[in-house]
Amino acid sequence: MADELLRPTITANVDLSVRPWRLMSQAYVAFFGGVLAVTVIAFLNARRLGVDASRQRLIVAVGVAALVVSAVVVVFLTEDDASSGLRIATRVVAVLCCLAQLRVQRPMDRAFQLRGTDYKSLWGPGIAAVIGLGLVELVLLAVLAVTL
């Protein structure tokens, strides 16, 4: 009985049979795949967690803002021939983006943890996001750096 009282109230639109991905695993996607990859994974995970629509839009907005910051970093670092720090700078932006997106997901992730269910593996979707969206972001930023 006491265990039932400790469980948070979950809204009716949450599918309790769908398991989300562990939040900190998304940091690996951010580091290796970049902003686009982590934003897609964070958005999909937010849907799995039952995060409300306004907070899902916030996750996308943070991703768009981080992509703009990455573009600015690429433009400024390629002008100064400091391309050795380019990879590190874009990864820092992606990880900071991920941390902001994790903060949005955290309350519903805590509710998931209190249900006592295991997380779903992020290996397959994470690798797909890193390879697919990481390449898209790389091409997008490379084209931007060459044209400006």
Side-chain angles (χ1 to χ4, degrees), residues 5 12 16 19 21 27 30 40 46-47 53 63-64 69 90-91 99 122 137-138 147:
L5 295 175
L16 297 177
R19 297 180 310 165
W21 300 304
V40 167
R47 291 178 57 106
V64 169
V69 170
T90 56
R91 294 305 173 227
L99 292 175
L122 185 58
E137 184 174 335
L138 179 69
T147 58

Side-chain angles (χ1 to χ4, degrees), residues 73-74 76-90 145:
V73 165
V74 166
F76 282 121
L77 286 181
T78 53
E79 284 181 3
D80 297 336
D81 290 331
S83 59
S84 61
L86 184 61
R87 179 175 289 191
I88 294 170
T90 56

Side-chain angles (χ1 to χ4, degrees), residues 63-120:
V64 169
L67 189 59
V68 169
V69 170
S70 287
V72 169
V73 165
V74 166
V75 168
F76 282 121
L77 286 181
T78 53
E79 284 181 3
D80 297 336
D81 290 331
S83 59
S84 61
L86 184 61
R87 179 175 289 191
I88 294 170
T90 56
R91 294 305 173 227
V92 167
V93 171
V95 170
L96 291 175
C97 170
C98 177
L99 292 175
Q101 292 168 337
L102 293 181
R103 185 150 176 93
V104 174
Q105 298 175 66
R106 188 170 295 134
M108 289 303 289
D109 183 67
R110 181 68 181 139
F112 173 78
Q113 289 175 356
L114 290 174
R115 282 185 269 166
T117 310
D118 289 331
Y119 288 97
K120 186 167 177 74

